[in-house]
Amino acid sequence: CGYGELVNFLNHRYNSFEYVGLDISVEMLKQAKQKHNQINIFFAQHLHELDEKDYLLASGIFNIKQQTKLIDWDNYCLELLNEFNRFCRKGFSFNVLTKYSEESQKKSYLYYADPLYLFDYCKKHFSRNVALLHDYSLFEFTLIVRK
């Protein structure tokens, strides 16, 4: 969740909502809590600290693999997607850098996923209702899983 900037977006568009931000960075969580001190806003460091929710949005969490072997990172991502599915009642969405990025721009420490593989995985394991968005100008794609 970083410092919780999505809360501002939600505040401008909705009268009522509950937001739970999740980040591994203690410093980011500290800033988020200071910036967004509302009764309907919560922040946590681990998914297991939270109750089941309607939706989950994960942005950029799969992109930086550092020196992790590709097979290990693939498995980590799939494990996390399975966790998302167990955690959410109505659905989840996530974005990932695309393997269709320009080769000259790719970095060895970043993860470039196959959008077709992840689409297929989500369709087979989570829901018939999966959308793949790969039509915007960033070198990434977004998958939306609706249960």
Side-chain angles (χ1 to χ4, degrees):
C1 67
Y3 52 89
E5 189 60 29
L6 183 57
V7 173
N8 293 333
F9 174 85
L10 296 171
N11 276 330
H12 288 354
R13 284 161 181 77
Y14 301 100
N15 293 329
S16 177
F17 65 90
E18 179 183 86
Y19 172 88
V20 178
L22 190 68
D23 204 300
I24 60 170
S25 168
V26 174
E27 186 57 38
M28 284 293 208
L29 290 171
K30 182 180 172 184
Q31 288 181 31
K33 289 175 184 177
Q34 289 173 349
K35 187 174 180 179
H36 304 288
N37 189 12
Q38 297 169 238
I39 196 160
N40 60 326
I41 309 297
F42 307 93
F43 295 98
Q45 192 172 17
H46 304 284
L47 195 59
H48 68 267
E49 297 173 36
L50 307 171
D51 295 329
E52 184 181 65
K53 299 296 176 198
D54 287 342
Y55 298 101
L56 180 143
L57 169 65
S59 180
I61 67 169
F62 297 121
N63 294 348
I64 302 175
K65 70 175 187 62
Q66 300 291 10
Q67 302 307 315
T68 306
K69 292 179 186 174
L70 187 56
I71 187 71
D72 294 335
W73 195 257
D74 284 335
N75 289 332
Y76 166 75
C77 292
L78 294 180
E79 287 173 23
L80 216 54
L81 292 177
N82 282 291
E83 223 178 299
F84 291 175
N85 186 58
R86 286 189 296 275
F87 180 74
C88 298
R89 289 183 288 262
K90 295 183 180 181
F92 59 93
S93 179
F94 61 97
N95 64 345
V96 188
L97 295 172
T98 180
K99 79 172 196 170
Y100 297 107
S101 298
E102 294 177 17
E103 289 299 322
S104 63
Q105 300 298 312
K106 287 184 179 180
K107 309 288 187 227
S108 63
Y109 60 90
L110 297 177
Y111 177 63
Y112 300 90
D114 182 341
L116 303 177
Y117 173 78
L118 288 176
F119 175 84
D120 188 60
Y121 187 87
C122 290
K123 289 282 279 187
K124 288 179 178 175
H125 293 90
F126 306 135
S127 176
R128 296 179 322 173
N129 302 311
V130 178
L132 168 60
L133 306 176
H134 203 311
D135 61 344
Y136 50 101
S137 61
L138 301 175
F139 288 109
E140 66 176 30
F141 61 93
T142 299
L143 280 166
I144 302 169
V145 178
R146 295 177 184 93
K147 295 182 176 187

